[in-house]
Amino acid sequence: MPTKKKSQVTAAAARRGELLSTAAEVFAEHGYNATTVRRIADHAGMLAGSLYYHFDSKESMLEEILRSFLDELWDGYDSVLAAGLGPRETLEALVTESFREIDRHRAAVAIYQKESRQLVAQDRFAFLAESQRRFEKAWLSTLERGVAERAFRADLDVRLTYRFVRDTVWVAASWYRPGGQHSPEEIARQYLSMVLDGIAVRE
């Protein structure tokens, strides 16, 4: 009996994950405000009432989607930041980790890009603003350290560079498709070869 119960729990968790994945795609395509529980249920091939068995609202679904994405993002970022790498290597690792997250959570990244500015006004989505502050601090401190250690140009505008890197990396969620011609690591490598040639100190 314990084995059967465990199997049921596993199946329920898998189904929940499938529904969240479906909801993320619908939110990303149609926008949060235009998405109804019925629309999500239709895409999942179930009745709207059945969806409420798993989630109490579309807000709950969106919160779980974004929290899962950001929790995984910060697991990766924190590992990079704690590794004691030089500034250039840290920047390379952060960019690579970002593209991996786009590969794993493309729809969630697209939602974050399009909706976070409006969502942060709601108490339940206040965690988005905190994550943004952490994100900015991580990138700016890496760039500032690179300038101080002469890994990056002395005349580098770190805030402008941060915004450029942030926007050009995350906009990839609008065109990237998992399983495409290039792996996230290869895209990161190509991206970094373009960016770093512009900000690295020339010998």
Coordinates of all heavy atoms in Angstrom, one line a residue, residues 57-116:
S57 N -6.3 29.3 -8.3 CA -6.5 30.5 -9.1 C -5.4 30.6 -10.2 O -4.4 29.9 -10.0 CB -6.5 31.8 -8.3 OG -5.2 32.0 -7.7
K58 N -5.6 31.4 -11.2 CA -4.5 31.6 -12.1 C -3.3 32.3 -11.5 O -2.2 32.2 -11.9 CB -5.0 32.3 -13.4 CG -5.3 33.8 -13.2 CD -5.6 34.5 -14.6 CE -5.7 36.0 -14.5 NZ -5.8 36.6 -15.8
E59 N -3.6 33.2 -10.5 CA -2.5 33.8 -9.8 C -1.6 32.8 -9.1 O -0.4 33.0 -9.1 CB -3.1 34.8 -8.7 CG -3.8 36.0 -9.3 CD -5.2 35.8 -9.7 OE1 -5.7 34.7 -9.5 OE2 -5.8 36.7 -10.2
S60 N -2.2 31.8 -8.5 CA -1.4 30.8 -7.8 C -0.5 30.0 -8.8 O 0.7 29.7 -8.6 CB -2.3 29.8 -7.1 OG -3.0 30.4 -6.1
M61 N -1.0 29.8 -10.0 CA -0.3 29.1 -11.1 C 0.9 30.0 -11.5 O 2.0 29.5 -11.6 CB -1.2 28.8 -12.3 CG -2.3 27.9 -11.9 SD -3.3 27.5 -13.4 CE -2.3 26.2 -14.1
L62 N 0.6 31.3 -11.7 CA 1.7 32.2 -12.2 C 2.8 32.3 -11.1 O 4.0 32.3 -11.4 CB 1.1 33.5 -12.5 CG 2.1 34.5 -13.1 CD1 2.7 34.0 -14.4 CD2 1.4 35.9 -13.4
E63 N 2.4 32.4 -9.9 CA 3.3 32.6 -8.8 C 4.2 31.4 -8.7 O 5.5 31.5 -8.6 CB 2.6 32.8 -7.5 CG 3.6 32.9 -6.3 CD 2.9 33.1 -5.0 OE1 1.7 33.1 -4.9 OE2 3.6 33.2 -3.9
E64 N 3.7 30.2 -8.9 CA 4.5 29.0 -8.8 C 5.4 28.9 -10.0 O 6.6 28.5 -9.9 CB 3.6 27.7 -8.7 CG 4.4 26.5 -8.4 CD 3.5 25.3 -7.9 OE1 2.4 25.6 -7.5 OE2 3.9 24.2 -8.1
I65 N 5.0 29.3 -11.2 CA 5.8 29.3 -12.4 C 7.0 30.2 -12.2 O 8.2 29.8 -12.4 CB 5.0 29.7 -13.6 CG1 4.0 28.6 -14.0 CG2 5.9 30.0 -14.8 CD1 2.9 29.1 -14.9
L66 N 6.8 31.4 -11.7 CA 7.8 32.4 -11.6 C 8.8 32.0 -10.4 O 10.0 32.2 -10.5 CB 7.3 33.8 -11.4 CG 6.6 34.3 -12.6 CD1 5.9 35.7 -12.3 CD2 7.5 34.5 -13.8
R67 N 8.2 31.6 -9.3 CA 9.1 31.2 -8.2 C 10.0 30.0 -8.6 O 11.2 30.0 -8.2 CB 8.2 30.8 -7.0 CG 7.7 32.0 -6.2 CD 7.1 31.6 -4.9 NE 6.5 32.7 -4.1 CZ 7.2 33.5 -3.4 NH1 8.5 33.4 -3.2 NH2 6.6 34.5 -2.7
S68 N 9.4 29.0 -9.3 CA 10.2 27.9 -9.6 C 11.4 28.3 -10.6 O 12.5 27.8 -10.4 CB 9.4 26.8 -10.4 OG 8.4 26.3 -9.5
F69 N 11.1 29.1 -11.5 CA 12.1 29.7 -12.4 C 13.2 30.4 -11.6 O 14.4 30.2 -11.8 CB 11.5 30.5 -13.5 CG 12.4 31.6 -14.1 CD1 13.6 31.3 -14.7 CD2 12.0 32.9 -14.0 CE1 14.4 32.2 -15.2 CE2 12.9 33.9 -14.5 CZ 14.1 33.6 -15.1
L70 N 12.8 31.3 -10.8 CA 13.8 32.2 -10.1 C 14.6 31.4 -9.0 O 15.7 31.6 -8.8 CB 13.1 33.4 -9.4 CG 12.5 34.4 -10.4 CD1 11.7 35.5 -9.6 CD2 13.7 35.1 -11.1
D71 N 13.9 30.4 -8.4 CA 14.6 29.6 -7.4 C 15.8 28.8 -8.1 O 16.9 28.7 -7.6 CB 13.7 28.6 -6.8 CG 12.8 29.2 -5.7 OD1 13.1 30.4 -5.3 OD2 11.9 28.6 -5.3
E72 N 15.5 28.3 -9.3 CA 16.5 27.5 -10.1 C 17.5 28.5 -10.6 O 18.7 28.1 -10.6 CB 15.8 26.8 -11.2 CG 16.8 25.8 -11.9 CD 16.1 24.9 -12.9 OE1 15.1 24.2 -12.5 OE2 16.5 24.8 -14.0
L73 N 17.1 29.6 -11.1 CA 18.1 30.6 -11.5 C 19.1 31.0 -10.4 O 20.3 31.0 -10.7 CB 17.4 31.9 -12.0 CG 18.2 33.1 -12.4 CD1 18.9 32.8 -13.8 CD2 17.4 34.4 -12.5
W74 N 18.6 31.2 -9.2 CA 19.5 31.6 -8.2 C 20.3 30.5 -7.6 O 21.4 30.7 -7.1 CB 18.7 32.3 -7.1 CG 18.4 33.7 -7.4 CD1 17.2 34.3 -7.8 CD2 19.4 34.8 -7.6 NE1 17.4 35.6 -8.2 CE2 18.7 35.9 -8.0 CE3 20.7 34.8 -7.3 CZ2 19.4 37.1 -8.2 CZ3 21.4 36.0 -7.5 CH2 20.7 37.2 -8.0
D75 N 19.8 29.3 -7.7 CA 20.7 28.1 -7.4 C 21.9 28.2 -8.3 O 23.1 28.0 -7.8 CB 19.9 26.8 -7.6 CG 19.0 26.5 -6.5 OD1 19.1 27.1 -5.4 OD2 18.1 25.6 -6.6
G76 N 21.7 28.4 -9.6 CA 22.9 28.5 -10.5 C 23.7 29.7 -10.3 O 25.0 29.6 -10.2
Y77 N 23.1 30.8 -10.1 CA 23.9 32.1 -9.9 C 24.7 32.0 -8.7 O 25.8 32.4 -8.6 CB 22.9 33.3 -9.9 CG 22.6 33.9 -11.2 CD1 22.7 33.2 -12.4 CD2 22.1 35.2 -11.3 CE1 22.4 33.8 -13.6 CE2 21.8 35.8 -12.5 CZ 21.9 35.1 -13.7 OH 21.6 35.6 -14.9
D78 N 24.1 31.6 -7.6 CA 24.8 31.5 -6.3 C 26.0 30.6 -6.3 O 27.0 30.9 -5.7 CB 23.8 31.1 -5.2 CG 22.8 32.2 -4.8 OD1 23.1 33.3 -5.1 OD2 21.8 31.8 -4.2
S79 N 25.8 29.5 -7.1 CA 27.0 28.6 -7.2 C 28.1 29.3 -8.0 O 29.3 29.1 -7.6 CB 26.6 27.3 -8.0 OG 25.7 26.6 -7.2
V80 N 27.8 30.1 -9.0 CA 28.8 30.8 -9.8 C 29.5 31.8 -8.9 O 30.7 31.9 -8.9 CB 28.1 31.5 -11.0 CG1 29.1 32.5 -11.7 CG2 27.7 30.5 -12.0
L81 N 28.7 32.6 -8.2 CA 29.2 33.7 -7.4 C 30.0 33.2 -6.2 O 30.9 33.9 -5.7 CB 28.0 34.6 -6.9 CG 27.2 35.3 -8.0 CD1 26.0 35.9 -7.4 CD2 28.1 36.3 -8.7
A82 N 29.8 32.0 -5.8 CA 30.5 31.4 -4.6 C 31.8 30.7 -5.1 O 32.5 30.2 -4.2 CB 29.6 30.5 -3.8
A83 N 32.0 30.6 -6.4 CA 33.1 29.7 -6.9 C 34.4 30.4 -6.8 O 35.5 29.7 -7.1 CB 32.8 29.3 -8.3
G84 N 34.5 31.7 -6.5 CA 35.8 32.4 -6.4 C 36.4 32.6 -7.8 O 37.7 32.6 -7.9
L85 N 35.7 32.7 -8.8 CA 36.2 32.9 -10.2 C 36.6 34.4 -10.4 O 36.2 35.3 -9.7 CB 35.2 32.6 -11.2 CG 34.6 31.1 -11.2 CD1 33.5 31.0 -12.2 CD2 35.7 30.1 -11.5
G86 N 37.5 34.6 -11.3 CA 37.8 36.0 -11.7 C 36.6 36.7 -12.3 O 35.6 36.0 -12.7
P87 N 36.7 38.0 -12.5 CA 35.5 38.7 -13.0 C 35.1 38.3 -14.4 O 33.9 38.2 -14.7 CB 35.9 40.2 -13.0 CG 37.4 40.2 -12.8 CD 37.7 38.9 -12.1
R88 N 36.0 38.1 -15.3 CA 35.7 37.7 -16.6 C 35.1 36.3 -16.6 O 34.0 36.0 -17.3 CB 36.9 37.6 -17.5 CG 36.6 37.2 -19.0 CD 37.8 37.3 -19.9 NE 37.4 36.7 -21.2 CZ 37.7 37.3 -22.4 NH1 38.3 38.5 -22.4 NH2 37.4 36.7 -23.5
E89 N 35.7 35.4 -15.9 CA 35.1 34.0 -15.8 C 33.7 34.0 -15.1 O 32.9 33.2 -15.5 CB 36.1 33.1 -15.0 CG 37.4 32.8 -15.7 CD 38.3 34.0 -15.7 OE1 38.2 34.9 -14.8 OE2 39.2 34.0 -16.6
T90 N 33.5 34.9 -14.1 CA 32.2 35.0 -13.5 C 31.2 35.5 -14.5 O 30.1 34.9 -14.5 CB 32.3 36.0 -12.3 OG1 33.2 35.5 -11.3 CG2 30.9 36.1 -11.6
L91 N 31.5 36.5 -15.2 CA 30.6 37.0 -16.3 C 30.3 35.9 -17.3 O 29.1 35.7 -17.6 CB 31.2 38.2 -17.0 CG 30.4 38.8 -18.1 CD1 29.1 39.5 -17.5 CD2 31.2 39.9 -18.8
E92 N 31.3 35.2 -17.7 CA 31.0 34.1 -18.7 C 30.1 33.0 -18.1 O 29.2 32.6 -18.8 CB 32.4 33.4 -19.1 CG 33.3 34.3 -19.9 CD 34.6 33.8 -20.1 OE1 35.1 32.9 -19.4 OE2 35.3 34.2 -21.1
A93 N 30.3 32.7 -16.8 CA 29.5 31.7 -16.2 C 28.1 32.2 -16.0 O 27.1 31.4 -16.1 CB 30.1 31.2 -14.8
L94 N 27.9 33.4 -15.6 CA 26.6 34.0 -15.4 C 25.8 34.0 -16.7 O 24.6 33.7 -16.8 CB 26.6 35.4 -14.8 CG 27.1 35.5 -13.4 CD1 27.2 37.0 -13.0 CD2 26.1 34.8 -12.4
V95 N 26.4 34.4 -17.8 CA 25.8 34.4 -19.1 C 25.4 33.0 -19.5 O 24.3 32.8 -20.0 CB 26.7 35.1 -20.2 CG1 26.2 34.8 -21.6 CG2 26.8 36.6 -19.9
T96 N 26.3 32.1 -19.3 CA 26.0 30.7 -19.7 C 24.9 30.1 -18.9 O 23.9 29.5 -19.4 CB 27.3 29.8 -19.5 OG1 28.3 30.3 -20.3 CG2 27.0 28.3 -19.9
E97 N 24.9 30.4 -17.6 CA 23.8 30.0 -16.7 C 22.4 30.6 -17.1 O 21.4 29.9 -17.1 CB 24.1 30.3 -15.3 CG 23.1 29.7 -14.3 CD 23.1 28.1 -14.3 OE1 24.2 27.6 -14.5 OE2 22.1 27.5 -14.2
S98 N 22.5 31.8 -17.6 CA 21.3 32.5 -18.0 C 20.7 31.8 -19.3 O 19.5 31.6 -19.3 CB 21.6 34.0 -18.4 OG 22.0 34.7 -17.2
F99 N 21.5 31.5 -20.2 CA 21.0 30.8 -21.4 C 20.5 29.4 -21.1 O 19.6 28.9 -21.7 CB 22.1 30.8 -22.5 CG 22.2 32.0 -23.3 CD1 23.3 32.9 -23.2 CD2 21.2 32.4 -24.1 CE1 23.4 34.1 -23.9 CE2 21.3 33.6 -24.9 CZ 22.4 34.4 -24.7
R100 N 21.1 28.8 -20.1 CA 20.6 27.4 -19.7 C 19.2 27.6 -19.1 O 18.3 26.7 -19.3 CB 21.5 26.8 -18.7 CG 22.8 26.3 -19.3 CD 23.8 25.8 -18.2 NE 25.0 25.2 -18.7 CZ 26.2 25.2 -18.1 NH1 26.3 25.7 -16.9 NH2 27.2 24.7 -18.7
E101 N 19.0 28.7 -18.3 CA 17.7 28.9 -17.8 C 16.6 29.2 -18.8 O 15.5 28.8 -18.7 CB 17.7 30.0 -16.7 CG 18.4 29.6 -15.4 CD 17.7 28.4 -14.8 OE1 16.5 28.4 -14.6 OE2 18.4 27.5 -14.5
I102 N 17.0 29.9 -19.9 CA 16.1 30.2 -21.0 C 15.8 28.9 -21.6 O 14.6 28.6 -22.0 CB 16.8 31.2 -22.0 CG1 16.9 32.5 -21.4 CG2 15.9 31.2 -23.3 CD1 17.7 33.5 -22.2
D103 N 16.7 28.0 -21.7 CA 16.5 26.7 -22.3 C 15.5 25.9 -21.5 O 14.6 25.2 -22.0 CB 17.8 25.9 -22.5 CG 17.6 24.5 -23.1 OD1 17.2 24.4 -24.2 OD2 17.9 23.5 -22.4
R104 N 15.6 25.9 -20.2 CA 14.8 25.2 -19.3 C 13.4 25.8 -19.0 O 12.4 25.1 -18.8 CB 15.5 24.9 -17.9 CG 16.7 24.0 -18.0 CD 17.2 23.6 -16.7 NE 18.0 24.7 -16.1 CZ 19.3 24.7 -15.9 NH1 20.0 23.6 -16.3 NH2 20.0 25.7 -15.4
H105 N 13.4 27.1 -19.0 CA 12.2 27.9 -18.6 C 11.9 29.0 -19.6 O 11.6 30.1 -19.1 CB 12.4 28.4 -17.2 CG 12.6 27.4 -16.1 ND1 11.6 26.6 -15.6 CD2 13.7 27.1 -15.4 CE1 12.0 25.8 -14.7 NE2 13.3 26.1 -14.6
R106 N 11.9 28.7 -20.9 CA 11.7 29.8 -21.9 C 10.4 30.5 -21.6 O 10.4 31.8 -21.6 CB 11.7 29.2 -23.3 CG 11.6 30.2 -24.4 CD 11.1 29.6 -25.7 NE 9.8 29.1 -25.5 CZ 8.7 29.8 -25.5 NH1 8.7 31.1 -25.6 NH2 7.5 29.2 -25.4
A107 N 9.3 29.8 -21.4 CA 8.0 30.5 -21.2 C 8.0 31.4 -20.0 O 7.5 32.5 -20.0 CB 6.9 29.5 -21.2
A108 N 8.6 30.9 -18.9 CA 8.7 31.7 -17.6 C 9.5 32.9 -17.8 O 9.1 34.0 -17.3 CB 9.2 30.8 -16.5
V109 N 10.6 32.8 -18.5 CA 11.4 34.0 -18.8 C 10.6 35.0 -19.6 O 10.7 36.2 -19.3 CB 12.7 33.6 -19.6 CG1 13.5 34.8 -20.0 CG2 13.6 32.7 -18.7
A110 N 9.9 34.5 -20.6 CA 9.1 35.5 -21.4 C 8.1 36.2 -20.6 O 7.8 37.4 -20.7 CB 8.4 34.7 -22.6
I111 N 7.4 35.4 -19.7 CA 6.4 36.0 -18.8 C 7.1 37.1 -17.9 O 6.6 38.2 -17.7 CB 5.8 34.9 -17.9 CG1 5.0 34.0 -18.8 CG2 4.8 35.6 -16.9 CD1 4.6 32.7 -18.0
Y112 N 8.2 36.7 -17.3 CA 9.0 37.6 -16.4 C 9.3 38.9 -17.2 O 9.1 40.0 -16.6 CB 10.2 36.9 -16.0 CG 11.0 37.7 -15.0 CD1 10.8 37.7 -13.6 CD2 12.1 38.5 -15.4 CE1 11.5 38.4 -12.7 CE2 12.9 39.3 -14.5 CZ 12.6 39.2 -13.2 OH 13.3 39.9 -12.3
Q113 N 9.7 38.8 -18.4 CA 10.1 39.9 -19.2 C 8.9 40.9 -19.5 O 9.0 42.1 -19.4 CB 10.7 39.5 -20.5 CG 12.1 38.9 -20.5 CD 13.2 39.9 -20.1 OE1 13.5 40.1 -19.0 NE2 13.7 40.5 -21.1
K114 N 7.8 40.3 -19.8 CA 6.6 41.1 -20.2 C 5.8 41.6 -19.1 O 5.1 42.6 -19.2 CB 5.8 40.3 -21.2 CG 6.4 40.0 -22.5 CD 5.5 39.4 -23.5 CE 5.4 37.9 -23.3 NZ 4.6 37.2 -24.4
E115 N 5.7 40.8 -18.0 CA 4.7 41.0 -17.0 C 5.2 41.6 -15.6 O 4.5 42.1 -14.8 CB 3.9 39.7 -16.7 CG 3.4 39.0 -17.9 CD 2.1 39.7 -18.5 OE1 1.7 40.7 -17.9 OE2 1.6 39.2 -19.5
S116 N 6.5 41.4 -15.3 CA 7.0 41.7 -14.0 C 6.8 43.1 -13.5 O 6.5 43.4 -12.3 CB 8.5 41.3 -13.8 OG 9.3 42.0 -14.7

